[in-house]
Amino acid sequence: MSITSGQPDAFAQFLFGYGLFQGLILLRLLPWLFQQPFTATYWAFTLGIAALSLASLRLVERGMTGVMQELALLLFMGANIAISSIALGTVRLLLRGKLLS
């Protein structure tokens, strides 16, 4: 989308849909993830979370309307909550001296 202009094409929409599918799979794994002890490796999830949120905002910016506008807002809020939670968990590990152990 960075090298084109106008409405997002079908391929960009397909890639967003695939990313959304991956995000839904991650949501399905949340109960299992919450049973595991928090470690710094949870930061691996933040790239995908942030990318999905940014992609939805870019699609809206480029002219997609309707459900995509509400979805972009929900994904943006969810990404902020998820990444903030991981940052808070990392600070807790750091304060306990267990970040690098």
Side-chain angles (χ1 to χ4, degrees), residues 19-34 45 49 52 71 74-75 78-79 82:
L20 191 58
F21 175 68
Q22 293 294 320
L24 291 173
I25 291 173
L26 182 61
L27 278 178
R28 170 70 174 89
L29 292 175
L30 279 181
W32 177 77
L33 285 172
F34 286 143
F45 295 111
I49 293 169
L52 185 60
L71 185 61
L74 288 174
L75 289 172

Side-chain angles (χ1 to χ4, degrees), residues 3-51:
I3 59 174
T4 62
S5 61
Q7 286 280 92
D9 59 359
F11 186 66
Q13 293 177 26
F14 169 76
L15 288 177
F16 176 75
Y18 181 72
L20 191 58
F21 175 68
Q22 293 294 320
L24 291 173
I25 291 173
L26 182 61
L27 278 178
R28 170 70 174 89
L29 292 175
L30 279 181
W32 177 77
L33 285 172
F34 286 143
Q35 293 174 355
Q36 310 306 314
F38 182 82
T39 62
T41 57
Y42 277 46
W43 278 101
F45 295 111
T46 61
L47 176 68
I49 293 169

Side-chain angles (χ1 to χ4, degrees), residues 22-99:
Q22 293 294 320
L24 291 173
I25 291 173
L26 182 61
L27 278 178
R28 170 70 174 89
L29 292 175
L30 279 181
W32 177 77
L33 285 172
F34 286 143
Q35 293 174 355
Q36 310 306 314
F38 182 82
T39 62
T41 57
Y42 277 46
W43 278 101
F45 295 111
T46 61
L47 176 68
I49 293 169
L52 185 60
S53 173
L54 181 61
S56 66
L57 292 171
R58 295 288 175 161
L59 289 172
V60 170
E61 175 186 62
R62 297 281 296 272
M64 290 190 73
T65 59
V67 175
M68 182 56 72
Q69 291 175 324
E70 287 82 24
L71 185 61
L73 180 61
L74 288 174
L75 289 172
F76 179 73
M77 291 183 338
N80 281 293
I81 291 169
I83 294 171
S84 297
S85 298
I86 292 171
L88 182 62
T90 304
V91 169
R92 285 183 184 154
L93 284 179
L94 183 64
L95 294 176
R96 292 181 189 157
K98 296 183 180 182
L99 181 62

